[in-house]
Amino acid sequence: MNSKLYGAIGIFLFFVSQTAAQTKRLELEQIFGQKPSLTKSINTIQGWADNQHYIEVDATTRQQYRVHIKTGERTAYIPPPNSDVEVYVKENDVYIRRGDHAEKRLTQSPDIEEKNPTLSPDNQYVAFTRDNDLYAIQVTDGREIRYTKDATDVIYNGWASWVYFEEILGRSSRYKAFWWAPDSKTLAFMRFDDTQVPMFPIYGATGQHGYVEQTRYPKAGDPNPEVKVGFVPVEGGQVTWADFNEKDDQYFGQPYWSFDSSNLMVQWMNRDQTNLKFYEVDPHTGTKKEIYDERQDAWIDLSHEERITYLKDNRHYILKSDKTGWAHYYLYTLDGTLVNPITAGQWQVSSLELVDEKNKVIYFTARKEHSATVDLYRVDYSGKNAKRLTFGNYTHQVAVSPDGKHFVTTYSNVSTPPKVALLDNKGKLVKELADSKADDFDDYNYAKTELISIPTPDGYQLPATITWPTDFDETKPYPVIFSIYGGPDAGSVRNTWKGISNQHWANEGIIQISVDHRASGHFGKEGVALMHRNLGHWEMVDYITAAKWLKSKPWVAKDKLLITGHSYGGYITCLALTKGAAYFDFGIAGAPVTSWDLYDTHYTERFMDTPQDNPDGYKRGSVLTYVDQYKGVLRILHGDMDDNVHMQNTIQLVDALTNGDKPFELMIYPGSRHGFSQEKSNYDRKERFRFYYQYLLEKPVPPELK
């Protein structure tokens, strides 16, 4: 798929063809209530119990069942014993429970909370952090082992510094920065020193005097935490430090233990994020050996997601890399020698579903047939005999059996509600398992969604999904809600069923569209790399192209194009009402970044380099630069306790707008972080409804929506 000649679906209008049966419209209680409509609940697939049984979760009772692939016999599924051991924190102490047995309290420090209790692979120890130091406790006799003793308010052992939690290890880590060796004899951990990282205050308004929450948050160009990688034997003793200099300006990514616990593979990256190296580190000596070296002109993602998959032969690993401009898999020996690429071409692999080492075959998903769909494939280690196993123009969510002989797919597209099917590893349909399409589906006159593309003057075809008004008439002008995110390699346009939440606005006569730009991931890393040192530029070029395309149509109202998004989408929305104000009329921006020097080092510098190295790029990418061009109506939302995109961003924009005498709407949600609580979300939804009715529909909000 050539990046300039995107395999697009032709742009055309969908003319509603009503039959006599299609007379009913979805009502409010169906769209926003709990009453299923158009679709019905179906059981979900949660993986495989063994080669012959997949695991099904009952949609009503949430009970798990094992289902035989041939007979369909369902029996209650009980997880195997090893996964039936639960460790957790209760009243600040660590507890353990095995199956139906009574819980057992392991620690006795109720005044200090233990965090991230993690059971060793042999179930004999539970590691955790307490007051930023690393500990473990023996399950059988309750003996506590303290591994580190130097923690302070700026030094953390096994507990991640904020920027590592947010950007490198990922939020799913819950700040955990320690890892058991497979043989349970060693703990690897990271030690963070935030001494040089600037403090950012977040002000809480609760109580008479309020309070200050202080976070060591490195903004673009600031000093980063100093990091060391250490190893401790399970019984305790001296820490062995990996042979890195913590004073170097560097990052460490998610580490990987080898199957035999003989070494830890450590991902290392320079501050500029253009050079990724893998080091094999000996846990007994700390000595390191370089086994991989990758360089890119733009940047390399130091992702906490799948990059390395070690094979059980203890001789090879599979690497995922976008070094050619497209994400693909490669087979390497443990010493870093490339055996061969496993996949190649102008398309993107998504995830590695199964490695069949016996037959030297991998099963993986990819966006190959169309960048907005996902399919399952199999291919030999050699890269030969590649075969697509899924079918049709659908997006597939798959679960592959442990032996690779069968898989279950849950699939849909914009016009087909989710269905479930069982297939074999040749792609042959074994049986249909479920269909969420309601029995009265065809009785409804509902709004249709299409996957389309929008051409750019320089040859790209921007993927988009569009939901037409329920009774669409091409001769009538309709207002438009344009929903975006817009971040690098973070496209949101997918060929999947969209549910029914869009049906109310379609019934009210609003066109709803989502568009991805050229750097959103649909055109590989070579498309994403266009954003290097230039955030905000190509996004607005392409979104303005989409706005022009919309407003050139007789069925789009010329003064009622509303754009909306949150976080990076909030940033783009603010740019659209300033830099792109000639093309967009209204905007709702949630938690926007308004100037990139206000965001963190790792994310921002990956794309922009530092403000010191790229001052012009930072100026061009700032919303504040274009405030004098503002027009229309912008509504800004922000949580005052947002520790990710600080409310500082919104305050600086508000300051510029008020100084320029520009009218806008502002809503601060007290106590809210980057997302809002249920109560705040409910209020926000009602205010969004009010905004749509006031500015797009120019009529009162129906009483039932207030």
Side-chain angles (χ1 to χ4, degrees), residues 7 14 18 40 88 104 106 119 133 137 172 218 239 241 261 266 290 309-310 378 640 665 698:
F14 185 93
Q18 290 186 327
K40 58 189 177 186
Y88 52 93
K104 177 182 177 182
L106 295 180
L119 194 66
D133 270 321
I137 192 162
S172 61
V239 176
W241 297 108
S261 303
V266 176
E290 182 182 314
T309 301
Y310 278 108
R378 58 171 287 167
D640 70 342
E665 292 188 9
E698 296 185 6

mmCIF file with all atom_site columns, all heavy atoms in Angstrom, residues 7 14 18 40 88 104 106 119 133 137 172 218 239 241 261 266 290 309-310 378 640 665 698:
data_model
loop_
_atom_site.group_PDB
_atom_site.id
_atom_site.type_symbol
_atom_site.label_atom_id
_atom_site.label_alt_id
_atom_site.label_comp_id
_atom_site.label_asym_id
_atom_site.label_entity_id
_atom_site.label_seq_id
_atom_site.pdbx_PDB_ins_code
_atom_site.Cartn_x
_atom_site.Cartn_y
_atom_site.Cartn_z
_atom_site.occupancy
_atom_site.B_iso_or_equiv
_atom_site.pdbx_formal_charge
_atom_site.auth_seq_id
_atom_site.auth_comp_id
_atom_site.auth_asym_id
_atom_site.auth_atom_id
_atom_site.pdbx_PDB_model_num
ATOM 1   N N   . GLY A 1 7   ? -5.138  2.805   -0.478 1.00 0.00 ? 7   GLY A N   1
ATOM 2   C CA  . GLY A 1 7   ? -6.236  2.004   -1.025 1.00 0.00 ? 7   GLY A CA  1
ATOM 3   C C   . GLY A 1 7   ? -7.556  2.413   -0.422 1.00 0.00 ? 7   GLY A C   1
ATOM 4   O O   . GLY A 1 7   ? -7.984  1.867   0.574  1.00 0.00 ? 7   GLY A O   1
ATOM 5   N N   . PHE A 1 14  ? -24.639 8.144   0.716  1.00 0.00 ? 14  PHE A N   1
ATOM 6   C CA  . PHE A 1 14  ? -25.549 7.032   0.980  1.00 0.00 ? 14  PHE A CA  1
ATOM 7   C C   . PHE A 1 14  ? -26.974 7.564   0.981  1.00 0.00 ? 14  PHE A C   1
ATOM 8   O O   . PHE A 1 14  ? -27.325 8.413   1.782  1.00 0.00 ? 14  PHE A O   1
ATOM 9   C CB  . PHE A 1 14  ? -25.235 6.392   2.334  1.00 0.00 ? 14  PHE A CB  1
ATOM 10  C CG  . PHE A 1 14  ? -26.064 5.163   2.596  1.00 0.00 ? 14  PHE A CG  1
ATOM 11  C CD1 . PHE A 1 14  ? -25.583 3.916   2.261  1.00 0.00 ? 14  PHE A CD1 1
ATOM 12  C CD2 . PHE A 1 14  ? -27.324 5.266   3.164  1.00 0.00 ? 14  PHE A CD2 1
ATOM 13  C CE1 . PHE A 1 14  ? -26.331 2.791   2.493  1.00 0.00 ? 14  PHE A CE1 1
ATOM 14  C CE2 . PHE A 1 14  ? -28.089 4.152   3.392  1.00 0.00 ? 14  PHE A CE2 1
ATOM 15  C CZ  . PHE A 1 14  ? -27.587 2.895   3.060  1.00 0.00 ? 14  PHE A CZ  1
ATOM 16  N N   . GLN A 1 18  ? -35.825 3.377   2.238  1.00 0.00 ? 18  GLN A N   1
ATOM 17  C CA  . GLN A 1 18  ? -36.713 2.844   3.251  1.00 0.00 ? 18  GLN A CA  1
ATOM 18  C C   . GLN A 1 18  ? -37.649 1.800   2.660  1.00 0.00 ? 18  GLN A C   1
ATOM 19  O O   . GLN A 1 18  ? -38.191 1.966   1.583  1.00 0.00 ? 18  GLN A O   1
ATOM 20  C CB  . GLN A 1 18  ? -37.557 3.953   3.882  1.00 0.00 ? 18  GLN A CB  1
ATOM 21  C CG  . GLN A 1 18  ? -36.759 4.894   4.761  1.00 0.00 ? 18  GLN A CG  1
ATOM 22  C CD  . GLN A 1 18  ? -37.681 5.864   5.474  1.00 0.00 ? 18  GLN A CD  1
ATOM 23  O OE1 . GLN A 1 18  ? -38.710 6.249   4.937  1.00 0.00 ? 18  GLN A OE1 1
ATOM 24  N NE2 . GLN A 1 18  ? -37.310 6.248   6.672  1.00 0.00 ? 18  GLN A NE2 1
ATOM 25  N N   . LYS A 1 40  ? -28.277 -7.042  20.459 1.00 0.00 ? 40  LYS A N   1
ATOM 26  C CA  . LYS A 1 40  ? -28.595 -7.740  21.700 1.00 0.00 ? 40  LYS A CA  1
ATOM 27  C C   . LYS A 1 40  ? -27.294 -8.214  22.327 1.00 0.00 ? 40  LYS A C   1
ATOM 28  O O   . LYS A 1 40  ? -26.262 -8.343  21.647 1.00 0.00 ? 40  LYS A O   1
ATOM 29  C CB  . LYS A 1 40  ? -29.516 -8.932  21.423 1.00 0.00 ? 40  LYS A CB  1
ATOM 30  C CG  . LYS A 1 40  ? -28.930 -9.939  20.435 1.00 0.00 ? 40  LYS A CG  1
ATOM 31  C CD  . LYS A 1 40  ? -29.958 -10.976 20.016 1.00 0.00 ? 40  LYS A CD  1
ATOM 32  C CE  . LYS A 1 40  ? -29.375 -11.926 18.963 1.00 0.00 ? 40  LYS A CE  1
ATOM 33  N NZ  . LYS A 1 40  ? -30.379 -12.862 18.433 1.00 0.00 ? 40  LYS A NZ  1
ATOM 34  N N   . TYR A 1 88  ? -3.153  -8.821  47.396 1.00 0.00 ? 88  TYR A N   1
ATOM 35  C CA  . TYR A 1 88  ? -3.773  -7.507  47.306 1.00 0.00 ? 88  TYR A CA  1
ATOM 36  C C   . TYR A 1 88  ? -3.481  -6.720  48.575 1.00 0.00 ? 88  TYR A C   1
ATOM 37  O O   . TYR A 1 88  ? -3.025  -7.263  49.595 1.00 0.00 ? 88  TYR A O   1
ATOM 38  C CB  . TYR A 1 88  ? -5.281  -7.639  47.095 1.00 0.00 ? 88  TYR A CB  1
ATOM 39  C CG  . TYR A 1 88  ? -5.985  -8.536  48.089 1.00 0.00 ? 88  TYR A CG  1
ATOM 40  C CD1 . TYR A 1 88  ? -6.550  -8.023  49.255 1.00 0.00 ? 88  TYR A CD1 1
ATOM 41  C CD2 . TYR A 1 88  ? -6.072  -9.909  47.856 1.00 0.00 ? 88  TYR A CD2 1
ATOM 42  C CE1 . TYR A 1 88  ? -7.190  -8.851  50.164 1.00 0.00 ? 88  TYR A CE1 1
ATOM 43  C CE2 . TYR A 1 88  ? -6.705  -10.746 48.767 1.00 0.00 ? 88  TYR A CE2 1
ATOM 44  C CZ  . TYR A 1 88  ? -7.263  -10.218 49.916 1.00 0.00 ? 88  TYR A CZ  1
ATOM 45  O OH  . TYR A 1 88  ? -7.884  -11.041 50.813 1.00 0.00 ? 88  TYR A OH  1
ATOM 46  N N   . LYS A 1 104 ? -5.158  -14.384 54.171 1.00 0.00 ? 104 LYS A N   1
ATOM 47  C CA  . LYS A 1 104 ? -4.092  -14.378 55.163 1.00 0.00 ? 104 LYS A CA  1
ATOM 48  C C   . LYS A 1 104 ? -3.362  -13.047 55.086 1.00 0.00 ? 104 LYS A C   1
ATOM 49  O O   . LYS A 1 104 ? -2.952  -12.619 54.000 1.00 0.00 ? 104 LYS A O   1
ATOM 50  C CB  . LYS A 1 104 ? -3.119  -15.527 54.895 1.00 0.00 ? 104 LYS A CB  1
ATOM 51  C CG  . LYS A 1 104 ? -1.924  -15.579 55.834 1.00 0.00 ? 104 LYS A CG  1
ATOM 52  C CD  . LYS A 1 104 ? -0.994  -16.721 55.439 1.00 0.00 ? 104 LYS A CD  1
ATOM 53  C CE  . LYS A 1 104 ? 0.246   -16.769 56.316 1.00 0.00 ? 104 LYS A CE  1
ATOM 54  N NZ  . LYS A 1 104 ? 1.177   -17.858 55.900 1.00 0.00 ? 104 LYS A NZ  1
ATOM 55  N N   . LEU A 1 106 ? -0.257  -10.766 55.424 1.00 0.00 ? 106 LEU A N   1
ATOM 56  C CA  . LEU A 1 106 ? 1.176   -11.018 55.349 1.00 0.00 ? 106 LEU A CA  1
ATOM 57  C C   . LEU A 1 106 ? 2.019   -9.939  56.017 1.00 0.00 ? 106 LEU A C   1
ATOM 58  O O   . LEU A 1 106 ? 3.063   -10.242 56.593 1.00 0.00 ? 106 LEU A O   1
ATOM 59  C CB  . LEU A 1 106 ? 1.613   -11.167 53.887 1.00 0.00 ? 106 LEU A CB  1
ATOM 60  C CG  . LEU A 1 106 ? 1.048   -12.370 53.132 1.00 0.00 ? 106 LEU A CG  1
ATOM 61  C CD1 . LEU A 1 106 ? 1.576   -12.376 51.695 1.00 0.00 ? 106 LEU A CD1 1
ATOM 62  C CD2 . LEU A 1 106 ? 1.415   -13.673 53.831 1.00 0.00 ? 106 LEU A CD2 1
ATOM 63  N N   . LEU A 1 119 ? 3.316   -11.579 43.349 1.00 0.00 ? 119 LEU A N   1
ATOM 64  C CA  . LEU A 1 119 ? 3.705   -12.928 43.735 1.00 0.00 ? 119 LEU A CA  1
ATOM 65  C C   . LEU A 1 119 ? 4.836   -13.428 42.849 1.00 0.00 ? 119 LEU A C   1
ATOM 66  O O   . LEU A 1 119 ? 4.840   -13.210 41.635 1.00 0.00 ? 119 LEU A O   1
ATOM 67  C CB  . LEU A 1 119 ? 2.488   -13.847 43.604 1.00 0.00 ? 119 LEU A CB  1
ATOM 68  C CG  . LEU A 1 119 ? 2.536   -15.226 44.233 1.00 0.00 ? 119 LEU A CG  1
ATOM 69  C CD1 . LEU A 1 119 ? 2.606   -15.120 45.754 1.00 0.00 ? 119 LEU A CD1 1
ATOM 70  C CD2 . LEU A 1 119 ? 1.290   -16.021 43.813 1.00 0.00 ? 119 LEU A CD2 1
ATOM 71  N N   . ASP A 1 133 ? 10.848  2.103   49.153 1.00 0.00 ? 133 ASP A N   1
ATOM 72  C CA  . ASP A 1 133 ? 11.861  1.053   49.198 1.00 0.00 ? 133 ASP A CA  1
ATOM 73  C C   . ASP A 1 133 ? 11.246  -0.275  48.777 1.00 0.00 ? 133 ASP A C   1
ATOM 74  O O   . ASP A 1 133 ? 10.026  -0.466  48.830 1.00 0.00 ? 133 ASP A O   1
ATOM 75  C CB  . ASP A 1 133 ? 12.479  0.931   50.591 1.00 0.00 ? 133 ASP A CB  1
ATOM 76  C CG  . ASP A 1 133 ? 13.704  1.821   50.766 1.00 0.00 ? 133 ASP A CG  1
ATOM 77  O OD1 . ASP A 1 133 ? 14.493  1.927   49.801 1.00 0.00 ? 133 ASP A OD1 1
ATOM 78  O OD2 . ASP A 1 133 ? 13.871  2.411   51.851 1.00 0.00 ? 133 ASP A OD2 1
ATOM 79  N N   . ILE A 1 137 ? 8.134   -10.540 51.147 1.00 0.00 ? 137 ILE A N   1
ATOM 80  C CA  . ILE A 1 137 ? 7.770   -11.297 52.335 1.00 0.00 ? 137 ILE A CA  1
ATOM 81  C C   . ILE A 1 137 ? 7.559   -12.746 51.936 1.00 0.00 ? 137 ILE A C   1
ATOM 82  O O   . ILE A 1 137 ? 6.999   -13.033 50.867 1.00 0.00 ? 137 ILE A O   1
ATOM 83  C CB  . ILE A 1 137 ? 6.519   -10.708 53.015 1.00 0.00 ? 137 ILE A CB  1
ATOM 84  C CG1 . ILE A 1 137 ? 6.330   -11.310 54.403 1.00 0.00 ? 137 ILE A CG1 1
ATOM 85  C CG2 . ILE A 1 137 ? 5.274   -10.860 52.156 1.00 0.00 ? 137 ILE A CG2 1
ATOM 86  C CD1 . ILE A 1 137 ? 5.413   -10.495 55.299 1.00 0.00 ? 137 ILE A CD1 1
ATOM 87  N N   . SER A 1 172 ? -0.670  1.182   33.165 1.00 0.00 ? 172 SER A N   1
ATOM 88  C CA  . SER A 1 172 ? -1.047  -0.145  33.656 1.00 0.00 ? 172 SER A CA  1
ATOM 89  C C   . SER A 1 172 ? -0.034  -0.681  34.659 1.00 0.00 ? 172 SER A C   1
ATOM 90  O O   . SER A 1 172 ? -0.336  -1.602  35.420 1.00 0.00 ? 172 SER A O   1
ATOM 91  C CB  . SER A 1 172 ? -1.191  -1.123  32.490 1.00 0.00 ? 172 SER A CB  1
ATOM 92  O OG  . SER A 1 172 ? 0.032   -1.258  31.791 1.00 0.00 ? 172 SER A OG  1
ATOM 93  N N   . PRO A 1 218 ? 9.094   16.526  34.842 1.00 0.00 ? 218 PRO A N   1
ATOM 94  C CA  . PRO A 1 218 ? 10.044  17.187  33.938 1.00 0.00 ? 218 PRO A CA  1
ATOM 95  C C   . PRO A 1 218 ? 9.349   17.684  32.678 1.00 0.00 ? 218 PRO A C   1
ATOM 96  O O   . PRO A 1 218 ? 8.832   16.906  31.885 1.00 0.00 ? 218 PRO A O   1
ATOM 97  C CB  . PRO A 1 218 ? 11.043  16.075  33.614 1.00 0.00 ? 218 PRO A CB  1
ATOM 98  C CG  . PRO A 1 218 ? 10.233  14.817  33.706 1.00 0.00 ? 218 PRO A CG  1
ATOM 99  C CD  . PRO A 1 218 ? 9.162   15.060  34.745 1.00 0.00 ? 218 PRO A CD  1
ATOM 100 N N   . VAL A 1 239 ? 22.960  -5.210  46.585 1.00 0.00 ? 239 VAL A N   1
ATOM 101 C CA  . VAL A 1 239 ? 22.410  -4.923  45.264 1.00 0.00 ? 239 VAL A CA  1
ATOM 102 C C   . VAL A 1 239 ? 23.529  -4.947  44.231 1.00 0.00 ? 239 VAL A C   1
ATOM 103 O O   . VAL A 1 239 ? 24.603  -4.371  44.447 1.00 0.00 ? 239 VAL A O   1
ATOM 104 C CB  . VAL A 1 239 ? 21.714  -3.554  45.236 1.00 0.00 ? 239 VAL A CB  1
ATOM 105 C CG1 . VAL A 1 239 ? 21.229  -3.228  43.822 1.00 0.00 ? 239 VAL A CG1 1
ATOM 106 C CG2 . VAL A 1 239 ? 20.551  -3.513  46.211 1.00 0.00 ? 239 VAL A CG2 1
ATOM 107 N N   . TRP A 1 241 ? 24.422  -3.595  40.604 1.00 0.00 ? 241 TRP A N   1
ATOM 108 C CA  . TRP A 1 241 ? 23.933  -2.574  39.670 1.00 0.00 ? 241 TRP A CA  1
ATOM 109 C C   . TRP A 1 241 ? 24.405  -2.872  38.251 1.00 0.00 ? 241 TRP A C   1
ATOM 110 O O   . TRP A 1 241 ? 25.562  -3.253  38.038 1.00 0.00 ? 241 TRP A O   1
ATOM 111 C CB  . TRP A 1 241 ? 24.415  -1.182  40.085 1.00 0.00 ? 241 TRP A CB  1
ATOM 112 C CG  . TRP A 1 241 ? 23.887  -0.762  41.422 1.00 0.00 ? 241 TRP A CG  1
ATOM 113 C CD1 . TRP A 1 241 ? 24.580  -0.662  42.590 1.00 0.00 ? 241 TRP A CD1 1
ATOM 114 C CD2 . TRP A 1 241 ? 22.534  -0.399  41.727 1.00 0.00 ? 241 TRP A CD2 1
ATOM 115 N NE1 . TRP A 1 241 ? 23.754  -0.265  43.615 1.00 0.00 ? 241 TRP A NE1 1
ATOM 116 C CE2 . TRP A 1 241 ? 22.482  -0.087  43.114 1.00 0.00 ? 241 TRP A CE2 1
ATOM 117 C CE3 . TRP A 1 241 ? 21.358  -0.305  40.986 1.00 0.00 ? 241 TRP A CE3 1
ATOM 118 C CZ2 . TRP A 1 241 ? 21.317  0.303   43.752 1.00 0.00 ? 241 TRP A CZ2 1
ATOM 119 C CZ3 . TRP A 1 241 ? 20.193  0.085   41.619 1.00 0.00 ? 241 TRP A CZ3 1
ATOM 120 C CH2 . TRP A 1 241 ? 20.176  0.387   42.984 1.00 0.00 ? 241 TRP A CH2 1
ATOM 121 N N   . SER A 1 261 ? 16.374  -17.201 33.139 1.00 0.00 ? 261 SER A N   1
ATOM 122 C CA  . SER A 1 261 ? 16.743  -16.247 34.200 1.00 0.00 ? 261 SER A CA  1
ATOM 123 C C   . SER A 1 261 ? 18.225  -15.904 34.222 1.00 0.00 ? 261 SER A C   1
ATOM 124 O O   . SER A 1 261 ? 18.718  -15.316 35.187 1.00 0.00 ? 261 SER A O   1
ATOM 125 C CB  . SER A 1 261 ? 16.331  -16.789 35.580 1.00 0.00 ? 261 SER A CB  1
ATOM 126 O OG  . SER A 1 261 ? 14.958  -17.076 35.643 1.00 0.00 ? 261 SER A OG  1
ATOM 127 N N   . VAL A 1 266 ? 17.806  -5.281  28.708 1.00 0.00 ? 266 VAL A N   1
ATOM 128 C CA  . VAL A 1 266 ? 17.478  -3.908  29.075 1.00 0.00 ? 266 VAL A CA  1
ATOM 129 C C   . VAL A 1 266 ? 17.442  -3.047  27.818 1.00 0.00 ? 266 VAL A C   1
ATOM 130 O O   . VAL A 1 266 ? 18.390  -3.054  27.022 1.00 0.00 ? 266 VAL A O   1
ATOM 131 C CB  . VAL A 1 266 ? 18.513  -3.346  30.075 1.00 0.00 ? 266 VAL A CB  1
ATOM 132 C CG1 . VAL A 1 266 ? 18.230  -1.880  30.371 1.00 0.00 ? 266 VAL A CG1 1
ATOM 133 C CG2 . VAL A 1 266 ? 18.493  -4.156  31.366 1.00 0.00 ? 266 VAL A CG2 1
ATOM 134 N N   . GLU A 1 290 ? 26.043  -5.438  24.455 1.00 0.00 ? 290 GLU A N   1
ATOM 135 C CA  . GLU A 1 290 ? 25.134  -4.881  23.458 1.00 0.00 ? 290 GLU A CA  1
ATOM 136 C C   . GLU A 1 290 ? 24.746  -5.951  22.452 1.00 0.00 ? 290 GLU A C   1
ATOM 137 O O   . GLU A 1 290 ? 25.608  -6.622  21.881 1.00 0.00 ? 290 GLU A O   1
ATOM 138 C CB  . GLU A 1 290 ? 25.798  -3.707  22.738 1.00 0.00 ? 290 GLU A CB  1
ATOM 139 C CG  . GLU A 1 290 ? 24.894  -3.032  21.714 1.00 0.00 ? 290 GLU A CG  1
ATOM 140 C CD  . GLU A 1 290 ? 25.590  -1.893  20.984 1.00 0.00 ? 290 GLU A CD  1
ATOM 141 O OE1 . GLU A 1 290 ? 26.252  -1.073  21.650 1.00 0.00 ? 290 GLU A OE1 1
ATOM 142 O OE2 . GLU A 1 290 ? 25.485  -1.844  19.737 1.00 0.00 ? 290 GLU A OE2 1
ATOM 143 N N   . THR A 1 309 ? 9.864   -10.632 21.942 1.00 0.00 ? 309 THR A N   1
ATOM 144 C CA  . THR A 1 309 ? 9.261   -11.886 22.382 1.00 0.00 ? 309 THR A CA  1
ATOM 145 C C   . THR A 1 309 ? 10.355  -12.949 22.358 1.00 0.00 ? 309 THR A C   1
ATOM 146 O O   . THR A 1 309 ? 10.841  -13.326 21.284 1.00 0.00 ? 309 THR A O   1
ATOM 147 C CB  . THR A 1 309 ? 8.105   -12.312 21.460 1.00 0.00 ? 309 THR A CB  1
ATOM 148 O OG1 . THR A 1 309 ? 7.109   -11.280 21.446 1.00 0.00 ? 309 THR A OG1 1
ATOM 149 C CG2 . THR A 1 309 ? 7.481   -13.616 21.936 1.00 0.00 ? 309 THR A CG2 1
ATOM 150 N N   . TYR A 1 310 ? 10.756  -13.398 23.543 1.00 0.00 ? 310 TYR A N   1
ATOM 151 C CA  . TYR A 1 310 ? 11.771  -14.449 23.630 1.00 0.00 ? 310 TYR A CA  1
ATOM 152 C C   . TYR A 1 310 ? 11.144  -15.792 23.287 1.00 0.00 ? 310 TYR A C   1
ATOM 153 O O   . TYR A 1 310 ? 10.024  -16.097 23.712 1.00 0.00 ? 310 TYR A O   1
ATOM 154 C CB  . TYR A 1 310 ? 12.359  -14.520 25.037 1.00 0.00 ? 310 TYR A CB  1
ATOM 155 C CG  . TYR A 1 310 ? 13.438  -13.507 25.306 1.00 0.00 ? 310 TYR A CG  1
ATOM 156 C CD1 . TYR A 1 310 ? 13.207  -12.432 26.138 1.00 0.00 ? 310 TYR A CD1 1
ATOM 157 C CD2 . TYR A 1 310 ? 14.698  -13.646 24.725 1.00 0.00 ? 310 TYR A CD2 1
ATOM 158 C CE1 . TYR A 1 310 ? 14.200  -11.492 26.390 1.00 0.00 ? 310 TYR A CE1 1
ATOM 159 C CE2 . TYR A 1 310 ? 15.692  -12.719 24.968 1.00 0.00 ? 310 TYR A CE2 1
ATOM 160 C CZ  . TYR A 1 310 ? 15.440  -11.645 25.803 1.00 0.00 ? 310 TYR A CZ  1
ATOM 161 O OH  . TYR A 1 310 ? 16.432  -10.728 26.040 1.00 0.00 ? 310 TYR A OH  1
ATOM 162 N N   . ARG A 1 378 ? -1.023  -15.936 9.421  1.00 0.00 ? 378 ARG A N   1
ATOM 163 C CA  . ARG A 1 378 ? 0.033   -16.834 9.876  1.00 0.00 ? 378 ARG A CA  1
ATOM 164 C C   . ARG A 1 378 ? 1.149   -16.787 8.849  1.00 0.00 ? 378 ARG A C   1
ATOM 165 O O   . ARG A 1 378 ? 0.930   -16.553 7.655  1.00 0.00 ? 378 ARG A O   1
ATOM 166 C CB  . ARG A 1 378 ? -0.466  -18.264 10.062 1.00 0.00 ? 378 ARG A CB  1
ATOM 167 C CG  . ARG A 1 378 ? -1.075  -18.902 8.833  1.00 0.00 ? 378 ARG A CG  1
ATOM 168 C CD  . ARG A 1 378 ? -1.349  -20.387 9.031  1.00 0.00 ? 378 ARG A CD  1
ATOM 169 N NE  . ARG A 1 378 ? -0.106  -21.150 9.015  1.00 0.00 ? 378 ARG A NE  1
ATOM 170 C CZ  . ARG A 1 378 ? -0.014  -22.424 9.413  1.00 0.00 ? 378 ARG A CZ  1
ATOM 171 N NH1 . ARG A 1 378 ? -1.070  -23.051 9.868  1.00 0.00 ? 378 ARG A NH1 1
ATOM 172 N NH2 . ARG A 1 378 ? 1.140   -23.057 9.344  1.00 0.00 ? 378 ARG A NH2 1
ATOM 173 N N   . ASP A 1 640 ? -9.014  20.516  37.639 1.00 0.00 ? 640 ASP A N   1
ATOM 174 C CA  . ASP A 1 640 ? -8.013  21.340  38.317 1.00 0.00 ? 640 ASP A CA  1
ATOM 175 C C   . ASP A 1 640 ? -6.909  20.513  38.968 1.00 0.00 ? 640 ASP A C   1
ATOM 176 O O   . ASP A 1 640 ? -5.874  21.058  39.361 1.00 0.00 ? 640 ASP A O   1
ATOM 177 C CB  . ASP A 1 640 ? -8.668  22.276  39.343 1.00 0.00 ? 640 ASP A CB  1
ATOM 178 C CG  . ASP A 1 640 ? -9.228  21.549  40.557 1.00 0.00 ? 640 ASP A CG  1
ATOM 179 O OD1 . ASP A 1 640 ? -9.438  20.319  40.478 1.00 0.00 ? 640 ASP A OD1 1
ATOM 180 O OD2 . ASP A 1 640 ? -9.470  22.214  41.583 1.00 0.00 ? 640 ASP A OD2 1
ATOM 181 N N   . GLU A 1 665 ? -16.064 29.921  26.301 1.00 0.00 ? 665 GLU A N   1
ATOM 182 C CA  . GLU A 1 665 ? -16.657 29.291  27.471 1.00 0.00 ? 665 GLU A CA  1
ATOM 183 C C   . GLU A 1 665 ? -15.579 28.491  28.207 1.00 0.00 ? 665 GLU A C   1
ATOM 184 O O   . GLU A 1 665 ? -14.679 27.921  27.570 1.00 0.00 ? 665 GLU A O   1
ATOM 185 C CB  . GLU A 1 665 ? -17.799 28.344  27.070 1.00 0.00 ? 665 GLU A CB  1
ATOM 186 C CG  . GLU A 1 665 ? -19.016 29.039  26.501 1.00 0.00 ? 665 GLU A CG  1
ATOM 187 C CD  . GLU A 1 665 ? -20.187 28.077  26.305 1.00 0.00 ? 665 GLU A CD  1
ATOM 188 O OE1 . GLU A 1 665 ? -20.090 26.911  26.772 1.00 0.00 ? 665 GLU A OE1 1
ATOM 189 O OE2 . GLU A 1 665 ? -21.189 28.482  25.705 1.00 0.00 ? 665 GLU A OE2 1
ATOM 190 N N   . GLU A 1 698 ? -29.783 25.362  17.217 1.00 0.00 ? 698 GLU A N   1
ATOM 191 C CA  . GLU A 1 698 ? -30.478 26.622  17.509 1.00 0.00 ? 698 GLU A CA  1
ATOM 192 C C   . GLU A 1 698 ? -31.906 26.383  18.002 1.00 0.00 ? 698 GLU A C   1
ATOM 193 O O   . GLU A 1 698 ? -32.872 26.976  17.508 1.00 0.00 ? 698 GLU A O   1
ATOM 194 C CB  . GLU A 1 698 ? -30.474 27.539  16.274 1.00 0.00 ? 698 GLU A CB  1
ATOM 195 C CG  . GLU A 1 698 ? -29.074 27.972  15.869 1.00 0.00 ? 698 GLU A CG  1
ATOM 196 C CD  . GLU A 1 698 ? -29.088 28.970  14.722 1.00 0.00 ? 698 GLU A CD  1
ATOM 197 O OE1 . GLU A 1 698 ? -30.182 29.402  14.323 1.00 0.00 ? 698 GLU A OE1 1
ATOM 198 O OE2 . GLU A 1 698 ? -27.987 29.310  14.221 1.00 0.00 ? 698 GLU A OE2 1
#
